[in-house]
Amino acid sequence: MKKAQTALLEWYEIYGRHKLPWRLTDNLYHVYLSEIMLQQTQVNRVRDEYYPQFLAKFPSLKILANAHQDEVLAAWSGLGYYSRARNLHKTAQLTQEGLPHTTTELMALPGIGNYTASAVCSFGLGQNIPVVDTNIARVIKRHFALLDPKVKTIWTQAEIFVNAQEPRSHNLALMDLGSLICLPKNPKCEICPLQSSCLGKSEAEIYTKTKKTVYESMELFFGICIKDNKVALLTSTQKMYQGMLVLPSTEPIEEDFIASFKHSYTKYRLVVNLYKSQVIDQDVKWIDINEFRSAPISSLTKKALKFL
């Protein structure tokens, strides 16, 4: 175990992603924000765009807490999974003076589960605890040859494996190893620092078989109504885009057809049809075309509005 821990840290020292901005700080809010953003979002998009822009607008929990939810959703626009932004805002309102320092207290806050709480405590506070995301789980299952283990079993094994001397670097190293080397398909076992101690290397892929995702197809019909350089939008009450501005639904009339495009959202594969519309709904908000960037507009709606 000690040899594996040492080999892992030596590899991380050379090949780890040390320059990611949230790894260069011990600011708990910054670490927490990065973990929320990195859920379901590519590292490069978070690092290069959303993380710095969001912190520039909301540099502290207190400033975030005092912001209007529309401002928060606007800053989150394009990242998707908008419940993350709403929970982030709620948590800021509950912890304006600072986030708690235990996983139990963190998990009592909106939108924070076992992984996020552990990541904040490990990466932000250096606590001697395991962290298990999708990448780390894959490494643990293969290295210890765990076939179809329960989630609790993976966490228990990860806890046994934690390097008590350098827990933060150990967890980050496992994360990077899963992201760069121990890939879901065609893992690069020949250059893995854990190759000599890996119990599942000869049949790596049987330990991480995943069920094929079944996607649900859906067709949507939206109306675009423009007056005086403004577009009619509604505040969504549906779970998918709750609180975001979306185009109103409309009846499909062939002569009013504008365009059609495809859009993916979680398990849904959408076909979106756009039509010219004469909106009479009293609840619409008229948003100036020049204000789209600062409005809480969903990524689907942004894609639709490009047809303007």
Side-chain angles (χ1 to χ4, degrees):
M1 191 80 79
K2 288 183 179 179
K3 286 182 179 178
Q5 290 173 342
T6 300
L8 180 65
L9 288 182
E10 288 176 348
W11 174 86
Y12 178 66
E13 182 66 29
I14 299 171
Y15 300 105
R17 297 175 292 181
H18 303 287
K19 293 185 178 180
L20 292 174
W22 45 87
R23 294 189 182 181
L24 299 172
T25 180
D26 59 1
N27 185 306
L28 220 54
Y29 165 53
H30 293 193
V31 174
Y32 161 58
L33 173 65
S34 71
E35 290 301 333
I36 298 299
M37 283 191 167
L38 288 165
Q39 295 170 14
Q40 309 293 337
T41 309
Q42 293 178 340
V43 171
N44 290 348
R45 289 188 68 207
V46 174
R47 178 195 63 201
D48 299 337
E49 186 178 353
Y50 290 99
Y51 179 78
Q53 289 179 6
F54 197 92
L55 282 180
K57 192 170 183 64
F58 310 109
S60 70
L61 278 168
K62 184 170 287 188
I63 292 173
L64 176 60
N66 292 325
H68 193 278
Q69 181 175 277
D70 282 356
E71 293 181 82
V72 180
L73 290 173
W76 201 270
S77 181
L79 264 174
Y81 299 89
Y82 296 100
S83 61
R84 294 183 295 171
R86 291 190 291 273
N87 285 331
L88 188 73
H89 190 220
K90 291 176 187 174
T91 291
Q93 292 174 328
L94 294 169
T95 61
Q96 294 189 40
E97 300 305 319
L99 290 162
H101 288 193
T102 69
T103 55
T104 302
E105 290 173 295
L106 284 165
M107 287 173 66
L109 294 169
I112 298 183
N114 196 4
Y115 164 74
T116 301
S118 299
V120 169
C121 288
S122 175
F123 304 152
L125 298 167
Q127 292 180 8
N128 183 24
I129 56 174
V131 176
V132 179
D133 71 346
T134 303
N135 287 317
I136 293 177
R138 186 166 57 252
V139 175
I140 295 296
K141 285 190 281 187
R142 286 174 174 169
H143 186 255
F144 296 101
L146 304 177
L147 190 61
D148 297 325
K150 295 181 179 179
V151 172
K152 184 178 180 181
T153 301
I154 299 171
W155 277 86
T156 300
Q157 188 62 65
E159 185 175 14
I160 294 169
F161 192 33
V162 170
N163 186 330
Q165 302 302 314
E166 297 187 63
R168 179 180 185 273
S169 293
H170 173 90
N171 287 325
L172 290 172
L174 282 177
M175 185 175 288
D176 286 358
L177 190 70
S179 178
L180 304 173
I181 302 295
C182 194
L183 306 173
K185 295 182 179 179
N186 303 314
K188 303 173 183 177
C189 297
E190 67 281 359
I191 59 172
C192 179
L194 300 183
Q195 182 185 22
S196 62
S197 57
C198 183
L199 301 177
K201 63 186 176 186
S202 60
E203 299 177 291
E205 294 191 18
I206 75 165
Y207 295 102
T208 51
K209 282 184 177 179
T210 55
K211 294 180 180 179
K212 189 174 181 180
T213 304
V214 178
Y215 294 102
E216 184 177 336
S217 298
M218 190 182 298
E219 193 166 13
L220 303 176
F221 304 89
F222 292 122
I224 294 182
C225 180
I226 306 174
K227 291 181 181 178
D228 301 324
N229 214 41
K230 295 181 179 180
V231 179
L233 298 174
L234 289 168
T235 300
S236 177
T237 57
Q238 295 183 346
K239 185 178 180 181
M240 187 184 294
Y241 290 122
Q242 187 177 0
M244 303 294 288
L245 293 174
V246 298
L247 289 164
S249 298
T250 190
E251 290 294 324
I253 301 174
E254 188 174 347
E255 54 265 33
D256 292 333
F257 179 74
I258 298 173
S260 179
F261 65 90
K262 294 181 180 179
H263 184 77
S264 298
Y265 187 89
T266 61
K267 65 178 182 179
Y268 299 102
R269 293 296 178 263
L270 309 175
V271 175
V272 182
N273 302 285
L274 305 175
Y275 295 83
K276 296 175 186 177
S277 173
Q278 298 297 321
V279 174
I280 56 173
D281 194 313
Q282 298 299 312
D283 294 328
V284 299
K285 294 183 178 181
W286 293 94
I287 306 299
D288 192 288
I289 290 173
N290 297 315
E291 296 177 0
F292 284 168
R293 286 178 63 87
S294 60
I297 297 176
S298 72
S299 53
L300 185 155
T301 304
K302 278 187 174 180
K303 192 180 290 187
L305 293 174
K306 286 182 180 180
F307 289 91
L308 293 177

